[in-house]
Amino acid sequence: MRRSLSAIIWIGFASSALFAQGAKPTPKPVLATPGDQLKVAKGFKVELLYSVPKEVEGSWVCMTDLPDGRLVVSDQYDKGMFLVTPPKIGTDDKIVVTPMGLKFNGKSFGMAQGLCWAFDALYVVVNGNGSGLYKVTSSKKGGDLDTVELLRAFEAGGGEHGPHAVMKHPDGQRLTVVCGNQTKMVKYDTTKVPPHWGEDHLLPRLPDGNGFMAGVMGPGGCIYNVTPDGKKWELFSVGFRNQYDAAYDTHGNLFTYDADMEWDFNTPWYRPTRICQVNSGSEFGWRNGAGKYPAYYADNLPGICDIGPGSPTGVVFGTGAKFPDKYQKALFACDWSYGKLYAVHLSADGGAMKGTAEEFISGSPLALTDVVVNQKDRAMYFATGGRKTQSGLYRVTFTEAIHQTQGILARVQMKPKQIREQAEGYQGSSDEKSLGVVWPSLNSDDRFLRFSARTALEFQDSKLWADKALAEDHPAAKITALLALVRVSADCPQHQKPNSPKADPALRGKILAALGKLDFAKLSVEQRLELVRVYHVLFNRFGMPTAAERSAWLAKYEPVFPTGSRFVDGELIQVFVYLQGDKAGEKGVKLLLDAPTQEEQIEYARALRMLKTGWTPELRKGYFEWFVKAQTYKGGASFGKFLDMIKRDAVLTLSAEEKVALKPTLDAKAAGSGLIVLKPRPFVKKHTMDDLMPIIEKGLKAGGRDFDNGRKMFAATNCFACHRYDNEGGAAGPDLTAIAGRFGPKDLLESIIDPSKEVSDQYAAVEIDTLDGKKVVGRIVNLNGDDIMVNTNMLDPNGQVNVNRKNIDVMKPSKISMMPAGLLETLKDDEVLDLMAYLLSRGDRKHVMFDKK
């Protein structure tokens, strides 16, 4: 049966044990959601094996399987660790849960967020009192685990962003350890990551509006490879926000599920939760506040699958599970806040993989914390809990006959992978032979190959390749090599190290001259973005150019700015403002006032706040009038304070006379509320399927549609307020960039016109009736103890209502979609056509639907 777009556009939850009939006069006991109340992929069965007694055994957040089939689990706080003997599959045997009673320095040992059995020992990562990597063994052969040894302590590693997972490395000789971005970097012995990371912001960075991690510098969360005795540490990858877990596939590739910052919803620097392929030497660009690197920055890597808003926890590959082949190859990823276990299906894509996420299991509430495949009984187990919420242990089995297919993943596109791994072999050491291997990849169309080649190049003596980089003719190779040259020639000012290289003004001039030879008009959008990024890093590390260099840069780029590319213009304007270009105000304010989305507007407003020259009274007034309109915009918990900081910095650039003249505008308050991106549009007509389908079928085939106008219509209908598309937009709903892969024009149009026609219980919002007579309708977005936090307004990500689970009378899926009807009523027929083409294009402005021929 066809699924409605409202099922995709608004994600809610399946019914749970709390979806009861009839009112109850007294508070209900809180238990884990039964397995038969969860939504699960066809052919699979979920059993709730155990509802954890919270007061005695806590709230479980971590687990691993032992060779004999038992599980080790840990409470997040002070209840310790437990051995779990699962009942045999298909029997009525009872589960057995036994406290391990471990002690370290006379105190109860637990608070594990990483567990792994390897090298005949249990390795434990503690996140809390005594944070560190520990090894647990038995003092007697064949006896109970009873001896705890600290291998390495972690500094400032407490909190939910502290040290996390540990797993066995596929080489069979080492461990891999995962640490979140509040864990100070461990003193490493060797590194695969070039130690040239920095903040590299051209304009002053906005810290988090609520002060979260405001003083913490990059590179953020790290992943290490460690010897079994814990003595030798290799830095393998950096730049994560708070990756809780990681997993290796059968080919030795490492993957993780990194977190977003929900306080940044509806800002241009928001990055969704995402699956990352963790290649050797990789960097993923976490920086605090508004400083996070966009996915397109050349000095970091993108995710391979954007999931959307959520709280990433445990991950595991289905390897060894008694599942169909498709699911044995899948990466399973837990989302704690939205109650979903994704199966991410991977396929080869050049030097990396690409992923497609399937909602494998979902429920409400279902605060998933960790997941493992038990290699003894070949079932999957997952736990729920965390933050002292009700915890449960579940088992997943496949109930139908398994018809395996011959896997082809290992044979597809292995050459790019081998090229990447060749380059990675030169990371961490200097070898003159490396240039012949890595240099060709600098010009690759494959971003992952270019990245690996550059990181290897940065380990080589720059005297051997600097002239070659300056003389390079191929645009991609020139841009990539010069980025490497900038990074190795001068440290970022915020990361100055003893005896660090001094920025050489003469070298800056040579690099600027080399970059100036590139024909900007002939570069692709990707190459333009990477070129502008080189300017950002160059000026940040080498400082303001000379007057002649500044004039040359402005003369080259003023005629081509703005380019019409939203992201290229957003990066270029930062350089114009840094150089205090005379035309930056005129062009920047026009971009600001014409931009169709609040994200794009904020990008320009953020840059213009530092501009001190080229202002006229009219431009100043237009700029500050934007802040009045922006008072109506909505976003995450830090959103309003980010806007306040932008305005504060901008006011500091005003003269005393300007402050007096602009006082009415500076003090003005916006009328009304809600997200207003464009001026209100007049009613056109109430469109119907019968009216529009003939127009759609003919119009899309004829081509000639307008991509940019389609984007404007996506904003005009407030779609950007809730949805990401082509790397911009809100976060209340899922990313719609790939909607064409699931919907044809008819299905897409029908679901927009009548979003409530078919609302699957798997995707509906919840409707809650409380014992004290209140009704709450919305999407569950967070949990804390017995409190359920429900977002009741999709236009306001920060608008939440708390409901205590003990006070719930009835909770059921809502039959009304939270996607509003009537979205097309202000659009003319041609505008509907442009919107449909935009949605179905997957963000490709070169799609045949936009062909003007």
Side-chain angles (χ1 to χ4, degrees):
M1 182 174 68
R2 189 176 70 244
R3 287 165 54 183
S4 70
L5 180 62
S6 61
I8 299 295
I9 287 188
W10 189 258
I11 300 181
F13 291 95
S15 54
S16 77
L18 298 176
F19 295 161
Q21 300 296 321
K24 299 293 183 183
T26 57
K28 300 177 181 180
V30 176
L31 298 173
T33 304
D36 60 6
Q37 297 293 329
L38 304 180
K39 201 75 175 181
V40 61
K42 185 178 182 298
F44 290 88
K45 175 185 176 182
V46 181
E47 306 168 76
L48 172 60
L49 299 179
Y50 190 59
S51 193
V52 180
K54 182 164 51 174
E55 299 303 321
V56 179
E57 296 172 359
S59 190
W60 296 352
V61 295
C62 183
M63 63 180 174
T64 191
D65 63 317
L66 299 178
D68 61 7
R70 291 181 297 170
L71 305 174
V72 178
V73 301
S74 179
D75 171 43
Q76 183 176 1
Y77 301 109
D78 58 0
K79 303 301 182 185
M81 296 163 55
F82 304 86
L83 279 173
V84 177
T85 304
K88 291 183 179 179
I89 297 173
T91 71
D92 293 328
D93 295 349
K94 300 297 182 182
I95 192 169
V96 178
V97 179
T98 306
M100 295 182 70
L102 294 170
K103 300 281 187 182
F104 183 73
N105 288 338
K107 297 180 180 179
S108 176
F109 181 73
M111 294 187 173
Q113 291 192 11
L115 291 167
C116 172
W117 179 265
F119 310 112
D120 296 320
L122 178 67
Y123 288 88
V124 181
V125 172
V126 172
N127 184 346
N129 295 329
S131 290
L133 173 65
Y134 294 79
K135 181 179 180 180
V136 183
T137 55
S138 173
S139 59
K140 299 179 181 179
K141 187 175 181 179
D144 294 337
L145 295 171
D146 58 7
T147 303
V148 180
E149 176 188 3
L150 173 63
L151 301 182
R152 178 68 65 96
F154 296 124
E155 185 178 355
E160 294 184 350
H161 290 235
H164 295 313
V166 57
M167 66 217 67
K168 191 174 183 179
H169 193 282
D171 67 7
Q173 304 297 315
R174 297 178 290 173
L175 299 165
T176 296
V177 176
V178 173
C179 292
N181 61 347
Q182 276 187 325
T183 311
K184 290 190 176 181
M185 181 176 283
V186 174
K187 183 179 180 181
Y188 54 83
D189 301 283
T190 59
T191 177
K192 292 291 189 179
V193 182
H196 308 302
W197 54 77
E199 302 301 294
D200 287 322
H201 301 121
L202 194 55
L203 301 177
R205 176 237 314 275
L206 297 170
D208 178 76
N210 287 307
F212 183 67
M213 297 189 71
V216 179
M217 297 292 104
C222 300
I223 295 180
Y224 307 88
N225 292 322
V226 186
T227 54
D229 59 8
K231 292 182 178 180
K232 293 184 179 180
W233 289 66
E234 173 191 79
L235 182 62
F236 185 74
S237 180
V238 300
F240 301 97
R241 179 176 183 267
N242 190 30
Q243 78 294 24
Y244 183 79
D245 199 0
Y248 286 100
D249 68 7
T250 55
H251 306 298
N253 297 310
L254 184 64
F255 298 84
T256 191
Y257 182 18
D258 199 14
D260 63 355
M261 178 51 161
E262 68 277 12
W263 291 1
D264 293 348
F265 283 171
N266 292 21
T267 66
W269 48 87
Y270 172 74
R271 305 191 311 183
T273 69
R274 55 190 183 160
I275 304 297
C276 299
Q277 179 167 337
V278 188
N279 293 339
S280 175
S282 52
E283 149 84 82
F284 290 91
W286 176 85
R287 301 297 185 269
N288 75 59
K292 291 175 287 294
Y293 291 3
Y296 53 74
Y297 271 12
D299 44 346
N300 84 149
L301 286 174
I304 62 165
C305 179
D306 284 353
I307 300 294
S311 297
T313 46
V315 299
V316 72
F317 272 93
T319 307
K322 196 173 183 180
F323 288 178
D325 187 69
K326 171 183 177 181
Y327 291 99
Q328 287 197 44
K329 288 182 167 61
L331 173 70
F332 291 88
C334 297
D335 175 10
W336 181 85
S337 59
Y338 293 141
K340 296 183 184 296
L341 177 59
Y342 295 98
V344 181
H345 303 287
L346 302 171
S347 58
D349 186 30
M353 312 292 284
K354 62 180 178 181
T356 302
E358 170 196 355
E359 289 190 9
F360 182 67
I361 296 172
S362 61
S364 174
L366 195 71
L368 293 116
T369 53
D370 205 1
V371 57
V372 300
V373 171
N374 191 324
Q375 298 302 316
K376 184 74 171 181
D377 63 16
R378 302 182 63 195
M380 175 181 287
Y381 292 81
F382 67 84
T384 61
R387 294 187 184 172
K388 299 186 179 180
T389 59
Q390 177 56 53
S391 194
L393 179 66
Y394 298 77
R395 179 164 61 195
V396 185
T397 52
F398 189 68
T399 59
E400 299 180 1
I402 296 178
H403 303 286
Q404 301 289 18
T405 59
Q406 180 64 39
I408 61 173
L409 184 61
R411 302 198 303 271
V412 175
Q413 295 188 342
M414 288 302 292
K415 186 175 181 180
K417 181 176 182 290
Q418 291 167 351
I419 293 173
R420 170 175 61 79
E421 290 175 342
Q422 264 191 316
E424 291 170 355
Y426 292 104
Q427 294 170 352
S429 61
S430 180
D431 187 335
E432 290 188 30
K433 297 177 182 178
S434 66
L435 297 185
V437 175
V438 305
W439 204 271
S441 292
L442 296 175
N443 198 47
S444 173
D445 291 336
D446 189 317
R447 180 171 174 184
F448 284 83
L449 295 187
R450 292 199 307 275
F451 188 95
S452 293
R454 178 183 60 77
T455 54
L457 187 63
E458 291 184 15
F459 281 102
Q460 313 310 313
D461 185 351
S462 63
K463 294 178 182 178
L464 300 174
W465 55 269
D467 289 342
K468 185 177 177 68
L470 292 166
E472 177 63 57
D473 290 328
H474 295 93
K478 178 186 283 288
I479 293 167
T480 307
L482 290 178
L483 175 61
L485 185 58
V486 171
R487 284 168 48 87
V488 302
S489 300
D491 280 343
C492 175
Q494 295 84 8
H495 290 262
Q496 291 286 348
K497 297 182 282 290
N499 302 317
S500 62
K502 302 293 184 181
D504 180 1
L507 180 57
R508 179 187 59 214
K510 291 179 182 179
I511 294 172
L512 282 171
L515 293 173
K517 294 178 182 179
L518 289 166
D519 187 343
F520 190 74
K522 293 182 179 180
L523 300 181
S524 67
V525 170
E526 181 181 34
Q527 289 170 339
R528 290 181 178 187
L529 286 167
E530 295 192 352
L531 169 62
V532 180
R533 179 57 179 163
V534 178
Y535 286 122
H536 283 212
V537 181
L538 175 66
F539 292 144
N540 178 70
R541 298 196 177 202
F542 281 76
M544 182 67 72
T546 65
E549 291 167 347
R550 173 183 178 275
S551 296
W553 193 96
L554 291 172
K556 179 178 177 67
Y557 290 102
E558 277 181 345
V560 299
F561 179 73
T563 67
S565 169
R566 174 251 191 273
F567 296 110
V568 175
D569 288 342
E571 298 303 323
L572 270 175
I573 195 172
Q574 296 180 56
V575 189
F576 276 102
V577 171
Y578 174 79
L579 296 177
Q580 296 294 303
D582 291 338
K583 296 183 180 180
E586 175 188 349
K587 294 188 175 186
V589 170
K590 187 177 189 309
L591 284 169
L592 169 68
L593 300 182
D594 289 347
T597 73
Q598 73 174 42
E599 282 188 309
E600 187 176 357
Q601 292 171 26
I602 293 169
E603 189 72 85
Y604 302 134
R606 176 173 60 152
L608 289 169
R609 85 191 200 278
M610 305 308 299
L611 184 65
K612 299 177 182 178
T613 62
W615 290 103
T616 66
E618 293 75 22
L619 290 174
R620 283 289 200 191
K621 190 171 188 296
Y623 176 64
F624 282 103
E625 283 179 341
W626 175 82
F627 287 97
V628 181
K629 181 175 69 171
Q631 292 173 24
T632 69
Y633 293 175
K634 302 295 182 182
S638 295
F639 183 83
K641 293 180 180 179
F642 276 127
L643 293 182
D644 289 343
M645 286 189 287
I646 294 173
K647 183 178 179 180
R648 177 203 64 200
D649 288 346
V651 169
L652 291 175
T653 68
L654 296 175
S655 67
E657 293 78 9
E658 287 174 320
K659 289 179 182 178
V660 172
L662 290 168
K663 191 175 190 307
T665 302
L666 296 176
D667 294 342
K669 301 297 181 185
S673 61
L675 185 72
I676 304 171
V677 178
L678 296 180
K679 294 179 180 179
R681 294 169 57 89
F683 175 83
V684 175
K685 65 178 178 179
K686 187 175 180 63
H687 294 285
T688 67
M689 290 292 296
D690 291 340
D691 292 338
L692 283 179
M693 270 314 298
I695 299 171
I696 298 294
E697 290 175 344
K698 182 179 179 180
L700 294 183
K701 291 179 181 178
R705 302 321 317 160
D706 188 324
F707 180 91
D708 291 311
N709 193 53
R711 178 171 172 263
K712 289 180 180 178
M713 294 307 103
F714 195 71
T717 53
N718 262 348
C719 297
F720 270 125
C722 299
H723 303 287
R724 292 186 72 76
Y725 187 89
D726 194 22
N727 290 317
E728 63 177 331
D735 193 319
L736 299 182
T737 308
I739 199 69
R742 292 168 283 177
F743 290 87
K746 182 178 180 181
D747 298 336
L748 177 58
L749 183 63
E750 183 177 55
S751 296
I752 295 173
I753 289 176
D754 188 6
S756 293
K757 182 176 180 179
E758 182 184 343
V759 183
S760 166
D761 62 352
Q762 184 178 355
Y763 299 98
V766 294
E767 182 178 309
I768 300 173
D769 293 328
T770 64
L771 293 172
D772 54 4
K774 296 178 181 178
K775 182 181 290 290
V776 178
V777 179
R779 184 184 184 193
I780 298 176
V781 296
N782 214 332
L783 303 167
N784 191 359
D786 289 333
D787 285 336
I788 295 174
M789 283 151 267
V790 183
N791 175 257
T792 58
N793 178 6
M794 65 182 184
L795 296 180
D796 183 3
N798 201 36
Q800 297 179 8
V801 174
N802 284 2
V803 180
N804 190 286
R805 291 181 67 184
K806 295 178 181 178
N807 192 36
I808 293 176
D809 179 15
V810 178
M811 183 162 72
K812 59 186 178 182
S814 174
K815 295 181 180 180
I816 305 299
S817 172
M818 292 188 75
M819 177 182 169
L823 292 176
L824 302 181
E825 293 178 356
T826 64
L827 272 58
K828 300 175 183 177
D829 290 352
D830 277 349
E831 292 172 329
V832 175
L833 273 171
D834 288 342
L835 172 62
M836 291 290 289
Y838 177 74
L839 281 168
L840 293 168
S841 72
R842 300 176 187 253
D844 179 11
R845 61 175 59 246
K846 294 182 180 180
H847 195 283
V848 67
M849 292 182 290
F850 306 115
D851 193 342
K852 300 294 183 181
K853 294 180 181 180

